[in-house]
Amino acid sequence: MPRDKIGVLMAELFIGGEWMSALAGGTREIRCPADGSLVATVDEADGDDTEAAIDAARRAFDNGPWPGTPAAERGDLLLRAADLITRDKDAYARAESLDTGKRLVESEYDMADVVACLRYFGKLAANEPGRIVDAGNPNVSSRIVYEPVGVCGLITPWNYPLLQAIWKVAPALAAGNTFVLKPSELTPSTAIMLMRTLQEAGLPDGVANLVLGAGAQAGAPLAGHPDVDLVSFTGGLATGTRIAAAAAATVKKVALELGGKNPNIVFADADFETAVDYAITAVFLHSGQVCSAGARLIVQNELHDEFVDEVVRRTERIRLGGPFDPDAETGPLISAAHLEKIEHYVAAAMTEGATLRTGGWRPQDERLKDGFYYLPTVLTDVKQGTYAVREEAFGPVLTVERFTDEDDAVRIANDTHYGLAGGVFTKDGDKAQRVAARLRHGTIWINDYHPYLPQAEWGGFKRSGVGRELGRAGLAEYQEAKHIYQNLKPGPQYWFSRPD
Ligand code: NAD
C-alpha cells in the first residue's frame, strides 16, 4: 500500500489493482525544485516491472469486464472520479506544486482543467453509438461500431503532470481500454493519487496500472512490447522519435504530442497594452516550461523598438518564488539538469550574435538559493535559421525577431520544423484570420494566448506530433472502428462452378 509519513508520500507501483514493490528493489527521492525539500520516496520500476504491468492490463482487457461495460457506465465512473478529485482538489494541487515547483494557484487551475476533462469524456463516452452504413440493399445490415483499441501505454512529461495524464487516461477509459501509465520520474505524486481515486471510483482491477521510474527502463517496454496495442506519448522530440521507431516493429497505434517553437506575431496595429501583457504571459508562464509557450516573439518593424523596450521593462519586474509564495509570479525550473540546458541555450544564442536585453543569469537572491531558478530572459537581434529560433528552450527565454509585412510574418513564423501553436495580435480581424489560415501550427490564438478548451482538438503539425488529443478526436484516437456487414438473406451466388 502507499504510505504517507509525516507529509511525505511513499508509494509503490500499482499493478493489477495491488500496490507492490519494484522487483529490483530500487527507490527514488522526489524533491521540490523550489527548495530541494523531500516530497516523496517512490519505488523505481525497471523493464520487468513494466512487463508485469502490461501483463495485468492485457489480462484485464482480454478477460475483464471493462471493455464490455456499457459506455454510459464507463462515463459514470469518469464523472465519479471527477467528483472525487474535486473533493480532494487541495491535496492534489499541493502535491502537484511540490513536485513541479509551480505556483499553487497554477496547480489549482490545472486541477480544475483535470476535472473538466474527466467530465467532458464522462459525458462523451455515452454518446458514441456507432452508425448505420447504407449498403443500398434491403437484404443487408451494415454498421460501424466503435471498439476499444486494447492495452494503452501512456507516457507523460513533468510540466503539467496530472493534466497530461488525464488527457490520455480519460479518453482511453471512456473508450473501454486498459492502460499502463508511466509519468515522468520527476513528478509522480498526482499519478499515484489518481490510482487511488480511480480505485475508489470503482474501476475494476488491472484496468489502470502505474509504473514509476526512468524512461529508458520503466517506459521503453510500453513502446516495444507486443502486448501493447497503442502508445500515447507526450514529451520531447528526441524521445518521441525513439518511441515511434520502437512502436513500428509491432505496428502499434502511435500518438505523439511533442515540442514546439511557437511564434507570437505582433502587428503594428495591435492594441499595445494587450499585446505586451500577453507576450510576457505567453512565454513566462510556468517559467516557459509549456509546450505551447510563445517563446518566439515576432514584431512588426514600426512597433519593434518601443514594444521590446516595454517587454524588457516589464520582464525585469517579474517576481520569482516558490509554490506557496503569494507574491511570486513564476517559479523554478524542474531540475538542475534543465537549468544547465537553459544556460547552454542562452550561451549558444549569444554565440550566434543575439543581444541579451535582460536576464541570462541565475538570480542572486538569497531567498531562492536552494531552488533551480533562472531569471526571465529576453534576447533580441536573433537571426532567422539559427539555433535560437529553431530549437525549443522550454524555459524562461524569449527571442525577438522583426518583420516587414504579412507575408514576411508568415514566412518567419513557419520557418521551423515544429508546428504546435502560435499567436497573432492585431486589431484587423480580416488580417488576423488570413494569417491564422496560413500558419502551419496546430492551435492559433488571436489577440489571446494559452486558453485551453477540452472540447477542442489539440495537436501539432510537422514534428510537433502525430494524432490529436482532446475533443472528438481524443476518443477516436483510442478506438477502433469496426464495420459489421451482415447478409440478411444468405444463399449461394454461384459465381464459380455450380453443383451438379
Ligand atoms: P522527455 O521526452 O524527456 O520525457 C517524457 C516522458 O518520456 C517521461 O515520462 C520520460 O521518463 C519518458 N521517456 C524518456 N525516454 C523514454 C524512452 N526511451 N522510452 C519511453 N519513455 C521514455 O520530455 P520531458 O522533458 O519530460 O518534457 C518536456 C518536453 O515535452 C518538451 O519538449 C515539451 O515541448 C514536450 N511537451 C509537449 C506537449 C504537447 O502537448 N505537445 C505538452 C507538454 C510537454
Side-chain angles (χ1 to χ4, degrees):
M1 273 296 286
R3 318 162 295 270
D4 292 330
K5 199 173 81 179
I6 344 171
V8 176
L9 182 70
M10 304 185 73
E12 302 169 326
L13 316 177
F14 188 64
I15 297 177
E18 306 276 339
W19 293 93
M20 51 181 73
S21 302
L23 293 168
T27 59
R28 175 187 290 261
E29 286 188 346
I30 308 300
R31 292 187 175 272
C32 179
D35 58 11
S37 59
L38 184 65
V39 178
T41 301
V42 298
D43 275 51
E44 178 88 347
D46 63 16
D48 291 340
D49 297 294
T50 304
E51 290 199 9
I54 293 169
D55 187 47
R58 184 80 260 164
R59 278 185 279 113
F61 187 81
D62 292 344
N63 311 321
W66 186 247
T69 299
E73 282 179 37
R74 294 200 299 257
D76 286 345
L77 185 132
L78 294 187
L79 297 175
R80 273 202 300 285
D83 290 343
L84 292 172
I85 293 179
T86 303
R87 180 195 71 190
D88 299 339
K89 64 182 187 319
D90 294 344
Y92 265 101
R94 196 180 149 75
E96 197 81 312
S97 277
L98 288 171
D99 274 11
T100 59
K102 75 168 71 168
R103 295 181 309 148
L104 184 63
V105 62
E106 287 181 42
S107 295
E108 287 167 353
Y109 284 134
D110 293 351
M111 295 311 117
D113 284 345
V114 163
V115 167
C117 182
L118 280 166
R119 294 220 164 105
Y120 176 77
F121 283 106
K123 289 177 192 148
L124 193 69
N127 289 330
E128 290 294 304
R131 64 194 166 90
I132 304 294
V133 178
D134 185 358
N137 178 346
N139 296 329
V140 162
S141 143
S142 174
R143 66 203 164 94
I144 302 290
V145 294
Y146 295 109
E147 297 189 356
V149 174
V151 173
C152 301
L154 310 178
I155 306 173
T156 52
W158 43 259
N159 62 340
Y160 288 84
L162 191 61
L163 194 54
Q164 297 292 353
I166 221 72
W167 282 15
K168 301 180 191 304
V169 164
L173 288 179
N177 298 280
T178 64
F179 69 83
V180 178
L181 172 64
K182 210 301 283 173
S184 167
E185 57 275 31
L186 302 175
T187 54
S189 296
T190 47
I192 294 163
M193 296 169 75
L194 178 66
M195 295 301 116
R196 299 174 179 180
T197 294
L198 291 174
Q199 205 172 26
E200 186 179 347
L203 193 67
D205 289 350
V207 176
N209 302 276
L210 176 72
V211 290
L212 308 170
Q217 288 75 38
L222 296 175
H225 198 289
D227 277 344
V228 177
D229 300 292
L230 173 154
V231 60
S232 177
F233 167 80
T234 301
L237 176 57
T239 317
T241 311
R242 270 199 293 279
I243 283 176
T250 50
V251 198
K252 289 188 201 328
K253 294 190 181 312
V254 177
L256 302 174
E257 294 290 337
L258 307 177
K261 189 71 189 181
N262 311 293
N264 185 15
I265 301 171
V266 180
F267 282 92
D269 64 359
D271 181 84
F272 187 87
E273 184 54 30
T274 304
V276 168
D277 184 43
Y278 277 101
I280 292 170
T281 311
V283 62
F284 297 126
L285 179 75
H286 193 15
S287 281
Q289 302 171 113
V290 182
C291 51
S292 51
R296 231 187 134 190
L297 183 63
I298 303 172
V299 189
Q300 197 158 22
N301 268 329
E302 346 17 338
L303 184 68
H304 179 276
D305 292 356
E306 184 193 354
F307 194 83
V308 173
D309 285 349
E310 184 60 10
V311 167
V312 169
R313 197 177 71 80
R314 301 263 277 272
T315 298
E316 284 170 346
R317 296 204 317 225
I318 294 174
R319 181 182 154 94
L320 299 176
F324 309 110
D325 174 350
D327 299 323
E329 291 165 302
T330 192
L333 298 176
I334 189 70
S335 65
H338 195 51
L339 177 56
E340 280 167 25
K341 187 182 150 212
I342 301 301
E343 288 175 329
H344 286 135
Y345 173 88
V346 172
M350 291 178 66
T351 309
E352 292 174 327
T355 303
L356 180 66
R357 288 290 304 269
T358 186
W361 302 103
R362 301 181 187 199
Q364 298 306 306
D365 193 334
E366 184 63 15
R367 198 172 50 85
L368 307 174
K369 69 177 178 9
D370 294 326
F372 306 123
Y373 290 92
Y374 194 78
L375 288 172
T377 298
V378 179
L379 296 167
T380 55
D381 304 318
V382 290
K383 293 179 196 63
Q384 221 192 313
T386 57
Y387 171 82
V389 289
R390 294 195 142 207
E391 296 307 321
E392 186 187 41
F394 214 57
V397 185
L398 181 66
T399 62
V400 190
E401 294 159 271
R402 36 170 97 230
F403 70 90
T404 52
D405 58 15
E406 215 172 299
D407 286 346
D408 199 30
V410 170
R411 188 178 54 77
I412 294 170
N414 284 339
D415 183 24
T416 162
H417 54 238
Y418 289 113
L420 189 59
V424 182
F425 284 81
T426 170
K427 286 190 195 134
D428 180 340
D430 290 345
K431 182 163 65 183
Q433 291 294 337
R434 278 195 307 272
V435 171
R438 293 173 66 192
L439 289 178
R440 303 277 300 150
H441 298 265
T443 295
I444 307 298
W445 293 293
I446 296 174
N447 295 327
D448 208 321
Y449 210 97
H450 281 321
Y452 144 91
L453 302 176
Q455 65 274 33
E457 294 172 47
W458 177 262
F461 285 26
K462 300 196 263 182
R463 292 185 208 170
S464 283
V466 173
R468 314 219 100 205
E469 292 197 320
L470 301 180
R472 171 66 188 86
L475 207 44
E477 295 281 343
Y478 292 89
Q479 290 174 323
E480 302 274 19
K482 180 189 281 177
H483 181 193
I484 300 178
Y485 178 106
Q486 183 181 3
N487 187 338
L488 300 173
K489 291 238 172 103
Q493 296 292 301
Y494 297 129
W495 285 358
F496 296 99
S497 58
R498 290 170 179 269
D500 293 331

